[in-house]
Amino acid sequence: MARPVPRMIGREPEYARLLAYLDASEVGVPTAVLVTADAGTGKTRLIDEVARTAAERGHTVVRGNCTPSSATRLPFGPVADLMRDLREQHPGLRDAVTDEVWAGLAPIAAGWGDGEADAALHGAADAALSHARLFAAVIVTLTAVASAQPLVVVIEDLHWADAASLDLLGFVARKLVDQNVLLLATSRPPRQTDELADFVFEFTRLEVAQTIELEPLPDTAIAEIITEAEPELDAAVVEVLTARAAGSPFFAARLARHGARPGLPSDLEQLLRFELRGISAEGRHLVAVVGALGGRVDADDLYELAGESGAVDELLDRDILNDAGDELRLRHALIGEVLEGAGTPQQRRAVHGAAADLLAAHGAADGEHALELGRHLHAAGRVDEARDQLLRGARHALEVRSFALARDAYAELLAIPAAAQAEAPERAELLLEAVPAYHWSGDVASALALLDEAGAVAGADEARVAYERGRLLSAEGRVAESAASFRAVLGLTDPADAARLALRARTLAALARDQMNQGDMAASVQTAEQAMADASAAGERHAQIDARVTRAVVSTLVPEPAADAGARAEAELSECARLALEADDLETAIRAYGNLTYVLGVAERHREVIEVAREAIDKCARYGPILSIASSVTSNYVSALAAVGEWDEALSVARAALAEHVSSSMGIHLHNEIIEIQTLRGEWTDAAEHIDIARRQLGDGIYALQFTFNEAAYAIWRGQPREALSILAPGLGELPQQDDPEMVLHAAALALRAHADDLESSRPRDRTALVRGLAEPLIALARRTALGADLPSLGQSFAQLCEAEFARLVDEDSVGQWRAIADGAEQGDRLFDEAYASFRGGLRALTSRAPADAVSLLSRAHEIASRLRARPLTGLILETIHAGGLKLTPVALSDGGRVAPAGLSEREFQVLELIAEGLSNRGIAERLFISERTVGVHVSRILGKLGVRNRTEAARALSTLRARAASAAD
């Protein structure tokens, strides 16, 4: 007979709130709720009641459970639990999703018991798919179920979750849009130093997110719980027990059962130990086993382990265990922790041995639970079995890209005493296998140490060791050393050895990249072509496409590229991206797209960079959080958006990428872009915060130089030119040694502008001496640099700017000079540069008594600066206009693809079209891969520019605009 469900006491408001979210999910308004509370405060009971209500209403309710991090940090463990639960409740789930989605579930599909899932896992392992693909598959699967009936997803004890599961849970919460889904998660309050704190911070910023913090219950509620559990207790005893419960309903119920008996514990550990008093040895053993397994176990398994002892019923009668249907749970995980470490070594080994046997009997031979099983086996002293399972778990973690977990698992394996290990060659292979886990978790020094150890093992594969070393060194930017390692591989392998041909092809492709980065373009092309030939013979598709990407990029970087090199490179890189996506080779696809955006960016074809970047994000979105995966694409995307004046979107993309925990180098680049935009908008406080963040992360190289330029520009726009010069000063002396002409010209232009601004504000008596002493060396360097280099259009613009700023220093700049720079910026689609040059030209026209030119140029500058909300420049323009007694005139900017009908920007017109399709702000954000907040900004501007009051009128206005366009075309 089922036990009656006790009524809720003291949690009625929270329960009502959760029921409201449940109601909302039934009409397509999803909510993700995180319930946090200290142990024993009633999280599980509250969630259980909501889940029970949902099930009674006909919702699908699925659960995923996290286990203690000290022993079982499983990659995607709770997600695998809930997806298995979902599949059991919906046998037709396989038919509800596509083959691609089902294959995407492969990392968590092992042990589902059908050959199709196992085959999917095998294919995923062969291709080493990114765990990001799993993210998209989970979203699609949950959506498929929720479209048929409302879905409640419960994930308990996030404080024990692995980082991979937290990432996936955050991704799911971000993607909840117009779905009949309620996501419920529980956790203890996060510590500021753990991964959960970062997750909670990002979670609370989501629109669909809600948090419920369960406070300790008031004494009146605790007393009511105690009285209801033991009605015969007198008031004095209830008062004492209420104080001892300290607001915990769990402790209150347990203390009530003990009543006024002497020896009651005075703190948590004593109370929990007292709970176990009188429990048989068999019962204590079971409590320890269930505790080792995270406080939950299959009921049938535990009864089988208990045998005829009756210990399970004993624990149920004493309420140590809680009957949750097919599962038995410790009423509180701390009960199991009381016994952790207690008993003799032999007893502890018996506990872990029993836990291992339960896991093995319950499908833990798959990669998902293998690591947990291996750790229990190791603690039980069954070392050989432990090694096999730890290896399975480590490989599974590596396959799903849970690199830190994989690194820890390999470390445990490698720490097993040598006597228990296999022969030396197998250990060398294990060392090599562990290297990627260390590398991708950021521990390059340890990865190199593993390679040193592997290389010292007799019979080790020297070529493989050298190849892995080269990959590590290349990723660290130590290109000369990595190239030497790759050449060593070629020296150790015979081109005629078919068995090593694939390794040679991968090595040659990697060496070609290094040669390109070293500037040896001729050698890079030759090596890439050899890599392609070997890859074709060996059937090594990754190396073949990778080498083609290198060859295409190099064709644009040679000293005298062919006239059609850029066009050919674009076509080849586009084809490489397509082939890589067909092969499910995300790494190479991203590299192809990244280099394609680079080639277009060098040519200042910023609009095309944006189109390609959006295509890359769209095509690769099935792999999950693409902004962090595709660092080069994202970097070039943000730079192009900033150049063309789509500053809101640039900021949105940059912040979204930073939220996905991008690499440090990409992070600095994105902070640089944010600093530049916020500086030009006069958002000084926000810009200063990003300056501080970027400064702490800086190293050497291109991003450090860009940061210096941005910091100097920040000072210039704040009216502190001397501060800007002091920032630039340390690097100005090193400019003659800088081999990047564009960087030299950029630095010189900034310094010359700072000198000119300083002279304008200070008006020194001896202007000529200052110019000769400070500025003439800079302009001389700029002129030598410009003459000695084949500059792209942006470099030519910097050279022109150097000349104009120097001319301003000596009061000889001309209207024509600035107008030419503005026209060049317009052709290059660099909106702010066009506005700045127009302002300078208008100012010179005013001082030259050419009011018509002044009005024209200043109106042009004002139109652009106002649109960008570039307040510092707008302020200078207005000051100049008022000082000259001028009046602005409306300006019709040349189209160039930038301005849609009715004065809308290209992006605003895209948003308007989607409004007309009936999409919500959230739907538009999903379609265009921008934030919902950015969509809101666009919508407000659209309504203002069209002069309409709402979205319906905006849609009608679009119809009118299209009709006018059609009429004009006729």
Side-chain angles (χ1 to χ4, degrees):
M1 177 183 296
R3 297 183 179 184
V5 178
R7 66 185 181 90
M8 298 290 291
I9 297 176
R11 297 299 183 203
E12 294 86 354
E14 293 86 354
Y15 180 61
R17 184 176 166 190
L18 288 173
L19 287 185
Y21 298 142
L22 184 66
D23 294 340
S25 73
E26 295 173 352
V27 294
V29 180
T31 309
V33 186
L34 177 62
V35 180
T36 61
D38 289 323
T41 316
K43 303 182 296 294
T44 298
R45 171 69 201 290
L46 179 63
I47 294 301
D48 283 349
E49 282 299 296
V50 177
R52 183 180 60 81
T53 302
E56 290 175 351
R57 293 185 183 182
H59 294 225
T60 296
V61 180
V62 292
R63 290 179 177 271
N65 299 309
C66 307
T67 53
S69 60
S70 59
T72 57
R73 289 179 65 81
L74 301 176
F76 304 118
V79 182
D81 285 345
L82 70 88
M83 295 303 289
R84 184 182 294 107
D85 192 357
L86 192 66
R87 188 169 183 269
E88 290 174 357
Q89 294 187 49
H90 291 270
L93 181 62
R94 172 64 186 87
D95 296 330
V97 297
T98 65
D99 291 342
E100 183 180 14
V101 170
W102 197 251
L105 296 173
I108 60 172
W112 282 6
D114 61 55
E116 189 174 9
D118 293 338
L121 177 61
H122 177 73
D126 289 345
L129 292 176
S130 168
H131 77 267
R133 186 172 183 180
L134 169 65
F135 286 25
V138 169
I139 285 290
V140 173
T141 305
L142 294 178
T143 302
V145 173
S147 65
Q149 65 186 106
L151 174 65
V152 176
V153 177
V154 178
I155 300 182
E156 295 194 59
D157 297 331
L158 283 185
H159 49 277
W160 284 331
D162 60 290
S165 294
L166 290 176
D167 287 345
L168 179 48
L169 179 59
F171 185 74
V172 169
R174 288 197 298 273
K175 295 298 182 181
L176 289 179
V177 179
D178 300 330
Q179 296 157 356
N180 299 340
V181 177
L182 175 60
L183 174 63
L184 301 175
T186 69
S187 169
R188 294 179 189 172
R191 297 186 299 271
Q192 294 301 314
T193 57
D194 62 18
E195 296 166 335
L196 182 61
D198 294 334
F199 168 84
V200 171
F201 175 76
E202 295 298 334
F203 178 89
T204 55
R205 298 169 65 185
L206 300 176
E207 182 176 347
V208 299
Q210 297 289 335
T211 58
I212 295 178
E213 297 179 9
L214 297 184
E215 297 294 335
L217 289 178
D219 286 350
T220 53
I222 292 294
E224 187 177 355
I225 290 171
I226 293 172
T227 301
E228 182 166 283
E230 295 292 338
E232 297 181 0
L233 291 175
D234 63 46
V237 173
V238 171
E239 183 178 355
V240 170
L241 296 181
T242 298
R244 290 190 178 276
S248 167
F250 170 74
F251 297 144
R254 296 309 175 275
L255 285 169
R257 290 184 183 277
H258 292 294
R261 288 172 292 176
L264 285 176
S266 59
D267 56 37
L268 176 60
E269 182 176 353
Q270 290 173 326
L271 173 61
L272 294 172
R273 287 187 180 278
F274 187 78
E275 285 285 322
L276 295 170
R277 189 181 67 170
I279 299 295
S280 65
E282 292 85 355
R284 296 174 70 88
H285 175 70
L286 291 185
V287 170
V289 171
V290 178
L293 291 171
R296 297 173 175 86
V297 70
D298 181 84
D300 292 337
D301 287 346
L302 195 62
Y303 272 109
E304 184 176 348
L305 178 62
E308 300 296 326
S309 68
V312 174
D313 291 332
E314 175 191 16
L315 295 174
L316 286 170
D317 290 340
R318 288 284 301 270
D319 214 15
I320 303 298
L321 284 179
N322 182 33
D323 188 349
D326 293 336
E327 189 176 66
L328 295 177
R329 303 178 185 176
L330 288 177
R331 188 56 181 157
H332 200 288
L334 291 178
I335 296 175
E337 293 178 21
V338 167
L339 296 177
E340 186 176 353
T344 66
Q346 182 178 2
Q347 289 172 330
R348 289 196 294 271
R349 286 195 296 270
V351 166
H352 287 287
D357 291 338
L358 285 178
L359 283 172
H362 207 59
D366 56 74
E368 173 197 339
H369 290 99
L371 187 54
E372 180 183 12
L373 175 56
R375 286 169 171 166
H376 284 304
L377 288 168
H378 197 194
R382 293 152 62 177
V383 177
D384 291 338
E385 296 175 78
R387 186 176 186 280
D388 291 340
Q389 294 303 326
L390 287 172
L391 183 58
R392 288 173 63 85
R395 287 172 175 170
H396 175 71
L398 196 58
E399 286 169 6
V400 299
R401 299 298 195 262
S402 185
F403 297 118
L405 180 62
R407 176 202 60 207
D408 294 343
Y410 279 113
E412 292 179 48
L413 271 169
L414 294 168
I416 294 177
Q421 295 276 8
E423 297 299 322
E426 185 173 342
R427 179 170 177 80
E429 185 63 29
L430 179 62
L431 288 163
L432 286 170
E433 185 179 314
V435 167
Y438 281 81
H439 175 201
W440 295 113
S441 64
D443 192 354
V444 175
S446 294
L448 289 169
L450 293 181
L451 288 174
D452 290 339
E453 184 180 348
V457 174
D461 187 341
E462 294 181 65
R464 171 94 180 279
V465 171
Y467 173 71
E468 295 293 347
R469 185 183 302 280
R471 282 167 55 93
L472 281 174
L473 294 170
S474 182
E476 288 294 291
R478 296 159 62 177
V479 181
E481 296 173 77
S482 62
S485 288
F486 292 137
R487 292 189 178 95
V489 176
L490 300 177
L492 291 166
T493 53
D494 184 354
D497 184 354
R500 308 314 303 267
L501 197 56
L503 176 61
R504 286 184 63 86
R506 293 195 299 271
T507 302
L508 287 165
L511 178 59
R513 289 199 306 270
D514 280 356
Q515 290 169 329
M516 177 183 70
N517 291 330
Q518 288 177 303
D520 192 346
M521 303 306 169
S524 179
V525 170
Q526 183 178 0
T527 304
E529 290 178 344
Q530 183 61 54
M532 291 166 60
D534 286 359
S536 179
E540 175 57 53
R541 195 171 185 185
H542 168 84
Q544 188 173 42
I545 302 173
D546 191 28
R548 285 179 65 178
V549 170
T550 299
R551 186 181 65 176
V553 178
V554 168
S555 69
T556 68
L557 299 176
V558 294
E560 296 182 4
D564 62 347
R568 288 187 176 184
E570 291 169 34
E572 177 74 345
L573 291 169
S574 296
E575 177 68 3
C576 287
R578 183 187 67 81
L579 292 172
L581 287 172
E582 283 183 358
D584 228 354
D585 185 350
L586 177 63
E587 179 182 354
T588 307
I590 291 303
R591 183 169 180 249
Y593 275 123
N595 280 287
L596 179 55
T597 56
Y598 166 77
V599 169
L600 293 169
V602 168
E604 287 204 279
R605 293 159 59 185
H606 303 301
R607 294 285 170 184
E608 292 175 70
V609 171
I610 293 170
E611 290 177 7
V612 170
R614 288 174 179 163
E615 175 187 328
I617 292 170
D618 181 51
K619 292 285 181 66
C620 300
R622 70 177 189 268
Y623 295 97
I626 194 64
L627 294 178
S628 55
I629 295 171
S631 59
S632 57
V633 172
T634 302
S635 298
N636 294 334
Y637 183 27
V638 172
S639 297
L641 288 169
V644 303
E646 295 285 355
W647 286 358
D648 289 326
E649 187 173 355
L651 291 172
S652 177
V653 174
R655 287 167 177 153
L658 288 170
E660 290 180 3
H661 309 294
V662 297
S663 65
S664 58
S665 59
M666 180 186 171
I668 294 170
H669 172 79
L670 295 175
H671 283 299
N672 273 330
E673 293 291 347
I674 292 172
I675 291 165
E676 180 178 8
I677 292 171
Q678 290 178 330
T679 294
L680 297 180
R681 281 187 165 171
E683 297 170 355
W684 310 122
T685 301
D686 290 342
E689 288 179 1
H690 284 278
I691 287 172
D692 289 340
I693 294 170
R695 185 184 290 115
R696 291 195 296 269
Q697 298 176 357
L698 274 181
D700 297 324
I702 185 173
Y703 295 123
L705 287 171
Q706 288 178 346
F707 172 76
T708 299
F709 297 160
N710 281 332
E711 194 174 19
Y714 177 83
I716 288 173
W717 282 107
R718 295 202 72 185
Q720 301 168 340
R722 291 187 182 179
E723 174 67 18
L725 289 169
S726 69
I727 292 168
L728 292 168
L732 292 178
E734 300 176 4
L735 283 183
Q737 288 75 48
Q738 173 61 249
D739 57 2
D740 185 339
E742 200 169 286
M743 286 290 179
V744 173
L745 293 169
H746 190 179
L750 269 176
L752 287 166
R753 179 187 168 183
H755 280 305
D757 285 1
D758 185 38
L759 286 178
E760 281 186 355
S761 60
S762 61
R763 302 186 182 279
R765 293 181 179 180
D766 193 355
R767 187 185 188 101
T768 303
L770 286 174
V771 171
R772 288 178 177 173
L774 299 173
E776 285 186 350
L778 281 172
I779 192 62
L781 173 61
R783 288 167 178 167
R784 289 196 305 272
T785 301
L787 288 173
D790 183 14
L791 295 172
S793 55
L794 182 60
Q796 294 172 15
S797 176
F798 281 137
Q800 291 176 316
L801 192 58
C802 286
E803 294 290 352
E805 294 290 6
F806 180 75
R808 185 161 73 93
L809 263 168
V810 295
D811 201 25
E812 293 178 0
D813 56 317
S814 68
V815 174
Q817 192 174 28
W818 287 111
R819 191 190 296 275
I821 295 173
D823 291 344
E826 181 183 17
Q827 292 173 9
D829 219 353
R830 290 178 281 107
L831 212 56
F832 181 83
D833 293 346
E834 179 185 349
Y836 175 74
S838 297
F839 159 67
R840 286 294 175 198
L843 182 59
R844 172 48 69 183
L846 184 62
T847 59
S848 301
R849 302 182 184 279
D853 285 341
V855 168
S856 172
L857 286 165
L858 290 172
S859 296
R860 178 184 184 183
H862 184 263
E863 165 68 20
I864 298 171
S866 298
R867 183 193 308 174
L868 296 176
R869 303 202 306 280
R871 286 188 287 270
L873 179 57
T874 302
L876 292 175
I877 295 167
L878 293 175
E879 288 176 11
T880 303
I881 290 168
H882 294 321
L886 305 176
K887 184 177 181 180
L888 290 173
T889 60
V891 175
L893 296 178
S894 62
D895 191 328
R898 296 183 307 189
V899 182
L904 301 177
S905 70
E906 179 185 6
R907 177 59 98 188
E908 288 167 349
F909 195 76
Q910 285 180 311
V911 172
L912 177 58
E913 290 180 314
L914 295 177
I915 290 173
E917 290 182 21
L919 269 67
S920 65
N921 284 7
R922 185 182 300 170
I924 294 170
E926 290 288 329
R927 181 79 64 86
L928 299 180
F929 297 97
I930 58 179
S931 73
E932 194 169 344
R933 179 180 177 185
T934 300
V935 174
V937 172
H938 286 315
V939 171
S940 296
R941 291 178 183 166
I942 290 167
L943 298 181
K945 290 181 179 181
L946 295 178
V948 297
R949 294 172 296 177
N950 53 48
R951 301 166 81 95
T952 301
E953 293 182 3
R956 291 175 187 153
L958 175 62
S959 299
T960 302
L961 291 172
R962 285 172 171 166
R964 289 175 181 171
S967 176
D970 293 340

